């Protein structure tokens, strides 16, 4: 009955993520389009993501596609660990160390991992993020944390 298993499972994941965002946002004030409250963006974005998920699931019954070969446990583990480490390292090491850790470990999950492009990406993303979030938006994040004497 399901003609495109990849679309089916992707659609379910989109719907679950969208509904989860909308459910979490219920506890915050919604506001209006002119004066958005903290729940406005996650609710709207979650609803849109859930609708995209519905469309993808419906398409999985209509369009033929390839079967799911297997689950990529190793990349999932690397990206999950990298994300958790980012949260741990950002407090003590600062934004720069946490971002480099995140990019390097996440990239290691790829079969086509290469050192030079990954280091360039880590440096570029770190510089960009510091310029945007710390310098331009003025977020109170330490660039180099207490571990590095920052």
């Amino acid at each position: 009955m399901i003609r495109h298993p990849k679309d089916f499972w992707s659609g379910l994941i989109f719907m679950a993520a969208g509904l989860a965002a909308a459910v979490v946002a219920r506890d915050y004030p919604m506001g209006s389009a002119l004066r958005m409250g903290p729940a406005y963006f996650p609710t709207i974005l979650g609803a849109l993501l859930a609708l995209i998920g519905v469309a993808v699931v419906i398409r999985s019954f209509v369009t033929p596609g390839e079967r799911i070969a297997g689950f990529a446990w190793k990349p999932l583990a690397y990206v999950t660990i990298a994300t958790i480490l980012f949260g741990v390292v950002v407090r003590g090491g600062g934004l720069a160390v946490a971002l480099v850790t995140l990019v390097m470990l996440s990239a290691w999950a790829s079969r086509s991992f290469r050192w030079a492009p990954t280091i360039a990406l880590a440096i570029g993303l770190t510089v960009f993020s510091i310029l945007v979030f710390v310098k331009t938006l003025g977020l109170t994040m330490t660039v180099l944390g207490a571990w590095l004497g920052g």
Side-chain angles (χ1 to χ4, degrees):
M1 193 166 171
I2 298 171
R3 300 181 71 192
H4 199 308
K6 284 185 177 181
D7 275 358
F8 178 77
W9 291 107
S10 296
L12 287 182
I13 291 169
F14 288 168
M15 288 190 306
L19 292 174
V23 167
V24 168
R26 286 183 322 175
D27 296 334
Y28 300 110
M30 183 67 152
S32 66
L34 294 175
R35 279 185 77 84
M36 296 178 194
Y40 194 87
F41 182 73
T43 301
I44 298 299
L45 188 63
L48 289 173
L49 188 59
L51 286 174
I52 290 170
V54 168
V56 172
V57 166
I58 291 171
R59 186 175 75 176
S60 75
F61 291 107
V62 177
T63 307
E66 53 195 75
R67 292 210 145 325
I68 298 174
F71 198 75
W73 290 105
K74 179 185 166 191
L76 177 65
Y78 275 115
V79 172
T80 302
I81 291 168
T83 305
I84 292 168
L85 273 176
F86 175 85
V88 172
V89 171
V90 76
R91 291 189 182 267
L95 185 61
V97 175
L99 280 171
V100 169
T101 303
L102 174 74
V103 172
M104 296 302 290
L105 193 55
S106 295
W108 195 291
S110 173
R111 291 181 190 166
S112 59
F113 174 82
R114 291 182 301 143
W115 283 102
T118 304
I119 291 170
L121 177 65
I123 292 170
L125 179 66
T126 301
V127 169
F128 176 78
S129 297
I130 290 169
L131 289 174
V132 169
F133 295 111
V134 177
K135 302 298 182 194
T136 306
L137 295 176
L139 295 182
T140 55
M141 298 180 79
T142 57
V143 175
L144 293 174
W147 296 346
L148 300 172

